[in-house]
Amino acid sequence: MGAALNESRDPIDRAMILSQDGWGRIIALIAAADGDLAGAEDALSSALERAVRVWRERGVPDNPEGWLYRVALNARRDVWKSAAARTSAVLDPEVHDGAADPGGHDTAASHGAGQPAAAHLVTPADPDALPDRRLELLGACAHPDIEPGVRPLLMLSAVMGMTGKQIAAGMTLPAATVAARLTRAKKRIAALGIGFGLPDRTELEARLPDIHEAIYGAFAIDWVHAASEPRDGIIGETLYLSRLLAELCPSDGESHGLAALIHLSAARFPARRSQDGEFVPLGDQDPSSWDSVLIARGEDHLRAVQRSGAIGRFGLQAAIQILHMSGVRSGSTDWPMLLRLHDDVERMAPSLGGAVARAAVLAEIDGPEAGLAELDALDGASHGQPPVGENAFSSERVDSFQPTWALRAHLLARAGREQEAQRAYRRAIELTTDPAERAHLEERSLEARADGTRSDSTRSDK
């Protein structure tokens, strides 16, 4: 996110953006005192409103995140001390004031993600308690009385600090749908009086799939605009949380698979941009620029997946990452093996992103027309023999998914269908939010147009 900041922004806007990565942590710390997630969100909202006014009058503080936490915590203290609150809960200073101050920062939350997570674990008095406030809140959001499809949205919003717009874009869902689901979930929580009693280690295993989804969702949402340094911001948080889960659940293959996937993917961040800030596709990246420490950790987690004897969606996707990286290093990619892995992923956990990635691999094996046929089938019948998946995606969802158009444009250009390629490039560029990738697509579009002009000239000369 830091790379996307425009230095010409209003200083208050910049401070808000810089502190946004900590919003989820602030909510987690405050909610941990009494388990009231909605109350913590209200307190942060109140602090944000006050910040706009106070910072404009007095200037932005040195530590915006710490300032927001203190103001939000004071707002919650006022509630806890109110007559209404005292009728339902006794104010306990040890409980209600026990949250760590992110101004000095919660040691478990603000560690460097490049260090072993175990070195930062807070030793709880209860041996079954989870050693991280955000992990506790993630587990609380996976409460069995909350609708399964809403749990990851709730975690991304309330714990990871993602906006509804970010969640909608990352999950290719309409923003109104995300907002409606979150509102419905919070009403249900209030109506049922679901206490966000924080789960402990004995309850963690049953809630792991939802927690995995939320951590990977945060990583995927921040992927496009993440800075080259993968240990910063949301990406650093997901590196830490994935590693912590793997340490807490050493025999769970999917926890190791998630950690492997995130570490291997983040390892390529330093090579995604040239020194001039230009977008560099995977095939053109310099492997020597990849983060060797993250690669080594990712490979360790992948070996743990193999030892577990149970490979799931995240483990398969991590294996796909390793094969792509090996192909870049050696100059020879094992496309048939990649296709088999993609088939397994699609059978296990069909997704639009996975289907587009599979189409790209198929095009490398059978040519661009095969990949285009696969893309054409995304909103129609299931593809492949035997069927890889039973789901088809809505036309609206496919039409608004940028990777679909970027791949389609590339394959149309390879197939010599220049006019169709230009239309696809225009749509891909329109949907792209990353300036560097937009510039890359514009350049590819110009090259495809030039190739088409040369082909027309060659035909007319014959």
Side-chain angles (χ1 to χ4, degrees), residues 347-371:
R347 288 192 186 93
M348 196 173 290
S351 71
L352 183 53
V356 173
R358 182 181 182 278
V361 172
L362 194 63
E364 295 297 330
I365 298 171
D366 295 331
E369 295 293 353

Side-chain angles (χ1 to χ4, degrees), residues 248-296:
L248 292 172
C249 308
S251 61
D252 182 65
E254 268 299 72
S255 292
H256 285 289
L258 176 67
L261 175 60
I262 290 179
H263 281 71
L264 292 171
S265 301
R268 295 193 283 103
F269 279 20
R272 294 197 309 173
R273 298 285 186 271
S274 70
Q275 289 187 340
D276 296 328
E278 296 171 339
F279 176 79
V280 182
L282 172 59
D284 296 334
Q285 290 178 7
D286 176 5
S288 67
S289 297
W290 293 343
D291 190 311
S292 58
V293 173
L294 293 183
I295 291 174

Side-chain angles (χ1 to χ4, degrees), residues 23-41 130-143 146 151-152 154-160 189 195-200 204 207 210-211 214 241:
W23 292 359
R25 183 164 52 237
I26 292 172
I27 291 173
L29 288 172
I30 294 176
D34 64 353
D36 187 345
L37 190 62
E41 286 185 308
L130 294 174
D132 184 278
R133 293 292 192 194
R134 283 159 306 157
L135 189 55
E136 286 181 330
L137 257 288
L138 288 171
C141 290
H143 193 288
I146 299 174
R151 293 171 195 163
L154 197 58
M155 294 181 204
L156 289 169
S157 169
V159 186
M160 303 305 288
I189 290 169
F196 269 88
L198 301 174
D200 58 24
L204 182 61
R207 303 185 185 192
D210 293 319
I211 297 173
L241 287 170

Side-chain angles (χ1 to χ4, degrees), residues 368-421:
E369 295 293 353
L372 288 166
E374 197 74 0
L375 291 179
D376 290 339
L378 287 180
D379 56 356
S382 173
H383 47 67
Q385 289 294 331
V388 171
E390 299 299 330
N391 67 311
F393 306 99
S394 72
S395 298
E396 292 79 7
R397 195 175 171 198
V398 173
D399 184 66
S400 63
F401 193 55
Q402 190 270 355
T404 307
W405 290 100
L407 177 60
R408 181 180 293 280
H410 171 68
L411 296 181
L412 286 167
R414 278 182 55 191
R417 295 159 61 177
E418 197 271 326
Q419 290 187 347
E420 294 172 86

Side-chain angles (χ1 to χ4, degrees), residues 413-432:
R414 278 182 55 191
R417 295 159 61 177
E418 197 271 326
Q419 290 187 347
E420 294 172 86
Q422 290 305 318
R423 286 196 290 273
Y425 271 122
R426 281 196 293 275
R427 182 62 176 151
I429 291 167
E430 178 182 300
L431 293 170
T432 301

Side-chain angles (χ1 to χ4, degrees), residues 164-212:
K165 186 177 179 181
Q166 287 175 309
I167 297 170
M171 296 195 164
T172 60
L173 291 171
T177 300
V178 171
R181 289 181 184 176
L182 286 172
T183 300
R184 191 166 63 243
K186 290 173 184 176
K187 285 182 177 177
R188 180 170 174 76
I189 290 169
L192 292 177
I194 296 173
F196 269 88
L198 301 174
D200 58 24
R201 296 183 193 224
T202 61
E203 299 168 289
L204 182 61
E205 185 176 350
R207 303 185 185 192
L208 277 177
D210 293 319
I211 297 173
H212 289 159

Side-chain angles (χ1 to χ4, degrees), residues 195-339:
F196 269 88
L198 301 174
D200 58 24
R201 296 183 193 224
T202 61
E203 299 168 289
L204 182 61
E205 185 176 350
R207 303 185 185 192
L208 277 177
D210 293 319
I211 297 173
H212 289 159
E213 288 293 332
I215 294 174
Y216 183 68
F219 177 84
I221 289 170
D222 207 49
W223 161 273
V224 172
H225 298 288
S228 295
E229 170 47 65
R231 291 168 179 78
D232 290 342
I234 288 293
I235 299 299
E237 298 286 326
T238 60
L239 282 167
Y240 165 68
L241 287 170
S242 68
R243 193 162 60 249
L244 177 58
L245 269 185
E247 290 180 8
L248 292 172
C249 308
S251 61
D252 182 65
E254 268 299 72
S255 292
H256 285 289
L258 176 67
L261 175 60
I262 290 179
H263 281 71
L264 292 171
S265 301
R268 295 193 283 103
F269 279 20
R272 294 197 309 173
R273 298 285 186 271
S274 70
Q275 289 187 340
D276 296 328
E278 296 171 339
F279 176 79
V280 182
L282 172 59
D284 296 334
Q285 290 178 7
D286 176 5
S288 67
S289 297
W290 293 343
D291 190 311
S292 58
V293 173
L294 293 183
I295 291 174
R297 287 184 178 155
E299 290 173 340
D300 283 345
H301 285 296
L302 201 48
R303 282 190 283 273
V305 173
Q306 293 172 324
R307 286 196 299 272
S308 76
I311 185 165
R313 163 201 168 188
F314 293 118
L316 288 169
Q317 289 179 321
I320 288 172
Q321 285 290 325
I322 278 285
L323 272 181
H324 274 300
M325 295 168 80
S326 175
V328 174
R329 285 196 190 95
S330 66
S332 176
T333 300
D334 189 344
W335 296 110
M337 175 58 78
L338 276 172
L339 184 60

